[in-house]
Amino acid sequence: MNIKEEFTNINENSHREFNLSLIFLTLILFIYCYFGSFSFFENTFNITNLDYYKIIYHNTMAFVLFFLVGMLYIKFVIKKPIKQIGLGIGNWKWGLIFAGVATIIIPLVALSTTIDNGMTSTYPLIDFATYNKWWQILTYFISYLLYYIGWEFLFRGIALQFSKEKIGVVGAILLTTLISALIHTSIGGFGKPMIETLSAIPAGLIFGYVAYKTDSIYYSLYAHALIGFLTDIFIFLIV
């Protein structure tokens, strides 16, 4: 079988959704890493308060590319109900138990970031002392939430749901964890602190498992956003 026939079979075999989703994931992450980055915004726009708006742009682009474009991909390419991609409440009893445990543990985890120099020199992403107007802080946290919505939909929704049928649940969780952890490094152009990159590995495994058990992204989204918000708040208030 030649290459042309192999590509033709993408739309004909039982693994069509997995193959197409890998292509989508690759393309959308390529676009995000190059055109959703801080450096792209800095090199493209010459505006006042550049260091503030580049953060808002970066966060919002994750929502636009991962969630909005992802929704179009699901609707017009995969043609599946959105609830099957993690946007239903799923196993809400199990999800609420996880959320309750996360609410207790995550503040302690976020508090521990205040003793790491890499984290304290990186977060919060904006200077709350400079951008201290209520609308600036609100806009920042709204963009942060949009970022997490996009991230969870892409990894715990599209990537996890369409890979577990092909490579199994464990394989799907490991695959999504690998990709998300790599993006936290300088490979993705965003160079996170080392402790955050390391933390992305167990977090990816836990969030992936939670998304699988609940068949929903809402519970991992809650935990992911909570640790991000509290990390910013604790570092600003304590350090």
Side-chain angles (χ1 to χ4, degrees), residues 29 33 151 155 174-192 196-201 204:
L29 287 174
C33 287
W151 189 274
F155 286 101
L174 291 174
L175 175 65
T176 55
T177 300
L178 169 65
I179 299 172
S180 62
L182 285 175
I183 294 175
H184 280 76
T185 70
S186 58
I187 293 175
F190 303 121
K192 304 287 187 177
E196 183 178 355
T197 301
L198 290 174
S199 299
I201 299 172

Side-chain angles (χ1 to χ4, degrees), residues 60-77:
T60 305
M61 282 299 289
F63 178 76
V64 171
L65 293 173
F66 299 169
F67 185 79
L68 295 183
V69 177
M71 291 279 279
L72 294 175
Y73 167 72
I74 298 302
K75 180 176 178 59
F76 294 107
V77 179

